[in-house]
Amino acid sequence: MLKSIWFIVNIALLKGCFAETPETYLLKSHSLPPDLNFMPTLGNGHLGYTVFGDAIFMNGVYNGAGGNSKRARIPNWLNISSEVCDRFGCASGEDVEVNGTSYEMDLRDGYFRERTTYRKLGFTVEQRTYTHKFYNRALVYEVVVTRLDSRNTRANAPKFLKLTQYPGNSSDAFDFVLVSNGSSSSGDYRTLRGRTKVLEFEKFQTDPQEIFVLFSQSLEQPLQVQWPTWQEQLSYSIIITMDRDESVARKELQDVLKLSSRTLLQKHTESWNSFWDNEFSIELKGDALELSQIVNAGIFYLVSSLPSINTNQKNEPFYGLSPTGLGRGNLEADYQGHNFWDTEIWMLPVVTQFGLEYAKQVLDYRHRKLEAAKYHANATGYKGARFPWESAYTGTEVTNPCCPEVAQQEIHISPDISFALQRFYSQSLDKEWACNTAWPIAAEVAKFLVSRASCDDSQNMCHFLKVMGPDEDHPDVNDNVYTNAVSKIALDFAEWLGPMCGNTSTELFERWRELSDRLLILQDEVLNYHPQHQGYILNTTVKQADTILLGYPLRFDISSTHLNDLRFYANATRESGPAMTWSMFSANYLVSRQDKLANEYFERGYKSYVRPEFKVWSETPLGYEGSANFLTGIGGFLQTLIFGYGGLDFGRVGDQFSMIIRRTLTPPNVDEIHINSIPYEDAKCSFTIRFQSSEIVCWDRFGPGFQMVQDQRRTFLGRSFNFTHRNEDPPIEISFLR
């Protein structure tokens, strides 16, 4: 068996195996963020951590009862520091010249690197850390030291590497016990077994969760690795693997240790490069370096919380996307790693563009937790399925005890999920998935909405009373217009989907149609706008995007009423609102052809929210407290780029689902946006967005071909086509011949 120490004869050989990273994918700084929460978060959908942080988290592993449930913190044993020492002592910061240390996040290759040059002492130290994208149970730390000048007497003095772990305090979530204290050289590995201490909800979790942690090398005490004077370079790696199944973690470690450090890194970078080249990337042309880096970083941080599609061993079921990702989650600022409406409304539309399989794994979490949602509806006095405002391992309500009104009143999450199911089907056109996954959820959500509504037969009107919309500054209101609108969409989708999936219950469908028809949508006829809820007074401050969402993403109302909504609520939304709010104003202004305002709000949506060093997003603008690695804000920002400026949509008109191309625009200083891959059923499309036109290229290898509808004219396009749409032309609808 290979030992965990590998020597590299020529470091140039290692560097020569990898192409130079383009500037748009390389985030380099000579200083760290003042707040280390804004260091990069790395992950692979199974494991995640924040660089220099004290915690590792595993997909779906939570500890705590009810609202006290949070991601179970595993000490960050990968947080390792390396020092080069000799008989004179260890190199220190005093030996480093100004800007002698660089910190780099390589987004294209998927790893973080710290490089320090000790020029007077005659060597460099490069430390790398990453969650492996292919061997996704593995976390990797590697240090490479290189002599600069063989003539330097001090450089040639006998040296050793001193490796020290800084994992943080013991975990309050696990009871860890030592299973084995072996080492790779003896054919065994240091192994810990951890069991969570507190069940989330006993009805749906009978036993604690159990994980196994295996180490290629124990670092309980600082480790010393000798660096012979004849050796130009020295490389040393620490591998940690984790899984619920000890045999899976063991096989992963064994498979990894068969590889050289060069090959191990190469397998990782190949997986990331394949994603950028074949699955999804956005290229901006123009004077847009910083914006390009922000776009690429946003995609990277979002993908890092998703399961890898191709892995060494089969993935476990996925437990959803939380607002700050898999690498965070044991703090209130991280929303304890819970799932919210953020998943379906803010992140999923972008995740779907990465590939349909990514989106299916996200939505499968909701399908697996349907029974818990039905239990929640029944326990709160209703029928059907009521998805909790916050969910984690069991799928039951885990909202923080601080805020019971949020759990009781934000009922819009259930129709939000139905809306997301419809939006995904519009793009995937996967009937088997729709009937097996979407229909059971959509039907039970519709039943819940019927049981939750209050109807007044004398006025032939229905209401949702005592609710809270996305604007959490206004609890206990009636007829929040967003809640009612998205509920109408959910009811309509369930009614449409039922017959396609073989359900013939006309009585059920009529009940859903009746509620949809009678559900009140507030509108002020004098001012021609939608009051956010009953009794809303114009110019009352609101927290975030709420009513304006009736335009995009709901496409419920894009009339002059919606334009007035934008005008009124733009002046009423508080400045400390979350990042995605301004992105949604931008997307909606683009729909309403208010291009100057769209550009202003687009820039407002990221410039005050992205920290400069590693383009990590904050929930709130500089000067306000908020979450770090805010994937929700990234999702809103990327949606505006793809669907707002891109004019792209997937939707249902009657019984026909189509890809819809409307007018396009480019953000300030951007001449062109190129998206290399958009999935559409089994087809792949590329999309190029220019200021006054767009070009779409699609290829469907096995299908019957595409047709285009424009101004009622139908045109057969074949199995592949290249079409340019100009802004002065009517919108086009592209669908499959069936």
Side-chain angles (χ1 to χ4, degrees), residues 635-699:
F637 165 76
L638 292 174
Q639 282 192 61
T640 300
L641 205 58
I642 300 166
F643 304 110
Y645 285 103
L648 177 67
D649 200 7
F650 295 90
R652 174 166 64 98
V653 180
D655 287 337
Q656 180 68 57
F657 286 87
S658 300
M659 175 195 291
I660 303 164
I661 309 294
R662 299 183 173 89
R663 69 187 288 269
T664 61
L665 200 69
T666 54
N669 301 318
V670 175
D671 300 324
E672 183 178 292
I673 305 168
H674 178 70
I675 304 173
N676 69 338
S677 183
I678 295 280
Y680 184 28
E681 197 189 42
D682 292 330
K684 284 285 188 180
C685 302
S686 67
F687 196 35
T688 303
I689 303 157
R690 302 184 182 94
F691 181 69
Q692 293 290 342
S693 66
S694 59
E695 180 182 6
I696 185 162
V697 179
C698 292
W699 179 52

Side-chain angles (χ1 to χ4, degrees), residues 169-185:
N169 296 327
S170 299
S171 173
D172 63 354
F174 290 99
D175 288 315
F176 280 106
V177 297
L178 181 66
V179 176
S180 170
N181 202 24
S183 65
S184 58
S185 60

Side-chain angles (χ1 to χ4, degrees), residues 30 96-102 115-118:
H30 290 289
V96 181
E97 298 176 9
V98 175
N99 291 338
T101 298
S102 65
R115 181 181 174 87
T116 302
T117 299
Y118 298 89

Side-chain angles (χ1 to χ4, degrees), residues 340-410:
F340 294 73
W341 75 311
D342 303 47
T343 303
E344 282 76 19
I345 297 300
W346 299 110
M347 292 182 264
L348 188 65
V350 176
V351 168
T352 304
Q353 310 320 308
F354 300 162
L356 301 179
E357 185 58 34
Y358 290 105
K360 283 184 177 180
Q361 292 196 52
V362 173
L363 289 168
D364 183 61
Y365 169 74
R366 298 299 190 183
H367 184 251
R368 296 198 324 274
K369 302 306 175 186
L370 181 58
E371 288 305 311
K374 291 164 70 173
Y375 170 84
H376 183 47
N378 182 263
T380 52
Y382 302 105
K383 298 178 181 178
R386 177 183 185 180
F387 285 90
W389 179 241
E390 299 184 32
S391 62
Y393 177 64
T394 63
T396 55
E397 182 63 79
V398 291
T399 296
N400 194 306
C402 73
C403 313
E405 70 283 356
V406 177
Q408 294 163 5
Q409 298 176 21
E410 292 220 48

